[in-house]
Amino acid sequence: MNLADTLVYADIRQLRQLATSCGLTCNLHSKHDLIQNLHNRLTSLPFCREMQEKLTWEEKRFLLSLIFEARKEYSREALLSRARKSFKEDIQHDEHERLVERVLKCGWLFRMQKPHSTVYAIPSDLQRRWRDIFVKEVRDAAYGNYTKPDVYRDDTYVMAHDVQQLLRFVQTNRVPLSKEGVMYRRQQQKLMDLMAVRENPVDGKEWRFGYGRRFRNYPDRLALLYDYTYHQQWLRERAEGLTLTEEGMRQALAQEWEKEERANSLVTFWLLSYKKAIPAIESLWMFIVSICEPEWLDEESLVHALQNWVCPFYYDTEEEVVRRRLLSMMVYLGILSRGMVTADSPVYLVTNWGKSLLNRTQHCK
């Protein structure tokens, strides 16, 4: 529903409150006048820019979780949950409730009465407007590279291929497991030698939790691959070792034409696995793709521009969340390309498949 339709169905009390907060001089008793004047004001780019400058980071993170969202309506409880997760520190008293009220007062969300309930909605045209505003804000803060790097990697479908490498490794090798159900380091190294990306086994010196079932046992990329195949019920952990299920045997022989379907499935599983640690990840990946679409962006400036848009997760700082949990994983999944301008200057650009994935996802919305 766009803004014009939303205003028609919105609560008259909110329309009057909005008109007052926007400083409009119109007939507060005429819904027609209120709708016309509010539509003109709320769709005005200068007004939106003015509002942008007044936003707190909590308000920005809260709005970001909504403007790429597929849902059209929210309950108050759902909004309060998102508002609570927009704060980096433990909230005091009813700060999350005041945040939702401020967003309603500014006209980014609308309260609408239904026969048996009250729902809240964000108009689709305002969603697009705020996407554009936020994307421009980060692009302006990040340093762009206008020349194509000499060396870059595009891992489109590579992780999907390595799913088969994992399955075939288990199919053709005896893979014993420790008492904790984990592959021994020697087996991990043999497996990773077959994969497109070589990682080092986990050394036990850092706290690892919150990003998947076996994240604490395996390096980042391998952990996602392993958790994915286990979740799909293609792997079976037994006392005698790691084996394939009947479906796992079939998947080990899957044809290459299935690679895009599997790549899509891996992205969906990544979002599911990381959502507890990064609640807004379903919006953040699309936000980053939109930011990295027109030109190569420098890693350091991109991390600096994005770090306030995320919250820390225990021992992961905001910088680590952006660098390791978002940018690095989006490269592994083939959503972003990673290039090198100099030996210590990585840059990022969305891949063609990443663009296609974003377009399909937003089209479904």
Side-chain angles (χ1 to χ4, degrees), residues 236-253:
R236 191 162 38 209
E237 296 171 351
R238 291 186 165 176
E240 61 269 25
L242 195 62
T243 62
L244 296 184
T245 63
E246 183 177 337
E247 179 60 20
M249 295 285 286
R250 192 189 76 80
Q251 289 294 328
L253 302 173

Side-chain angles (χ1 to χ4, degrees), residues 138-201:
V138 178
R139 278 185 192 155
D140 289 347
Y143 175 76
N145 288 273
Y146 300 98
T147 57
K148 186 177 180 179
D150 294 331
V151 179
Y152 68 95
R153 52 182 282 192
D154 180 342
D155 283 2
T156 300
Y157 305 145
V158 171
M159 213 166 172
H161 174 73
D162 278 349
V163 168
Q164 280 185 302
Q165 293 292 83
L166 170 56
L167 295 175
R168 289 170 182 170
F169 178 79
V170 176
Q171 182 185 35
T172 57
N173 292 271
R174 179 177 175 273
V175 186
L177 299 174
S178 69
K179 290 181 180 179
E180 293 75 29
V182 181
M183 286 186 285
Y184 291 99
R185 289 175 70 91
R186 186 177 176 185
Q187 296 294 323
Q188 291 182 45
Q189 289 169 335
K190 281 185 177 181
L191 170 59
M192 288 188 288
D193 284 342
L194 301 174
M195 292 189 167
V197 176
R198 183 70 166 81
E199 297 175 283
N200 295 318

Side-chain angles (χ1 to χ4, degrees), residues 179-349:
K179 290 181 180 179
E180 293 75 29
V182 181
M183 286 186 285
Y184 291 99
R185 289 175 70 91
R186 186 177 176 185
Q187 296 294 323
Q188 291 182 45
Q189 289 169 335
K190 281 185 177 181
L191 170 59
M192 288 188 288
D193 284 342
L194 301 174
M195 292 189 167
V197 176
R198 183 70 166 81
E199 297 175 283
N200 295 318
V202 173
D203 59 14
K205 294 180 180 179
E206 66 170 335
W207 289 91
R208 292 179 63 82
F209 59 89
Y211 297 96
R213 178 176 174 269
R214 288 293 182 188
F215 182 78
R216 69 185 183 277
N217 306 123
Y218 300 126
D220 300 354
R221 185 177 186 272
L222 178 58
L224 186 69
L225 284 168
Y226 186 95
D227 284 350
Y228 172 75
T229 50
Y230 185 87
H231 178 77
Q232 297 290 102
Q233 298 184 348
W234 300 340
L235 290 182
R236 191 162 38 209
E237 296 171 351
R238 291 186 165 176
E240 61 269 25
L242 195 62
T243 62
L244 296 184
T245 63
E246 183 177 337
E247 179 60 20
M249 295 285 286
R250 192 189 76 80
Q251 289 294 328
L253 302 173
Q255 298 299 311
E256 279 295 305
W257 59 264
E258 295 181 3
K259 62 188 178 182
E260 183 169 1
E261 179 182 346
R262 186 172 287 170
N264 281 322
S265 181
L266 276 162
V267 171
T268 300
F269 182 75
W270 168 62
L271 297 174
L272 176 68
S273 299
Y274 280 45
K275 188 172 178 62
K276 182 177 180 181
I278 312 173
I281 192 169
E282 291 181 350
S283 294
L284 282 164
W285 83 264
M286 289 185 278
F287 189 39
I288 292 170
V289 166
S290 301
I291 292 161
C292 294
E293 184 171 351
E295 61 190 12
W296 292 92
L297 293 176
D298 172 75
E299 180 177 276
E300 291 305 318
S301 64
L302 188 56
V303 170
H304 179 74
L306 283 168
Q307 62 185 3
N308 280 321
W309 292 91
V310 303
C311 294
F313 180 71
Y314 289 95
Y315 295 97
D316 275 357
T317 63
E318 296 93 330
E319 178 183 337
E320 288 171 314
V321 169
V322 174
R323 196 187 306 273
R324 295 183 60 184
R325 312 307 173 203
L326 294 171
L327 295 179
S328 289
M329 293 308 298
M330 289 171 73
V331 172
Y332 289 149
L333 289 160
I335 300 171
L336 296 179
S337 285
R338 186 175 191 264
M340 301 299 293
V341 176
T342 62
D344 59 349
S345 183
V347 290
Y348 295 89
L349 180 73

Side-chain angles (χ1 to χ4, degrees), residues 76-92:
R76 183 172 178 81
E77 291 71 25
L79 291 177
L80 289 174
S81 174
R82 286 167 185 264
R84 185 184 293 274
K85 292 171 184 175
S86 299
F87 289 83
K88 291 190 177 184
E89 307 292 338
D90 291 337
I91 62 173
Q92 303 296 321

Side-chain angles (χ1 to χ4, degrees), residues 3-4 9 22 61 68 73 116 119 121-122 132 134 140 168 204 209 216 220 241 266 295 304 328 330 332 351 356 358:
L3 178 60
Y9 291 102
C22 290
R61 288 190 289 268
F68 287 100
E73 296 178 352
H116 303 291
V119 298
I122 179 169
D132 293 342
F134 285 165
D140 289 347
R168 289 170 182 170
F209 59 89
R216 69 185 183 277
D220 300 354
L266 276 162
E295 61 190 12
H304 179 74
S328 289
M330 289 171 73
Y332 289 149
T351 63
S356 173
L358 175 66

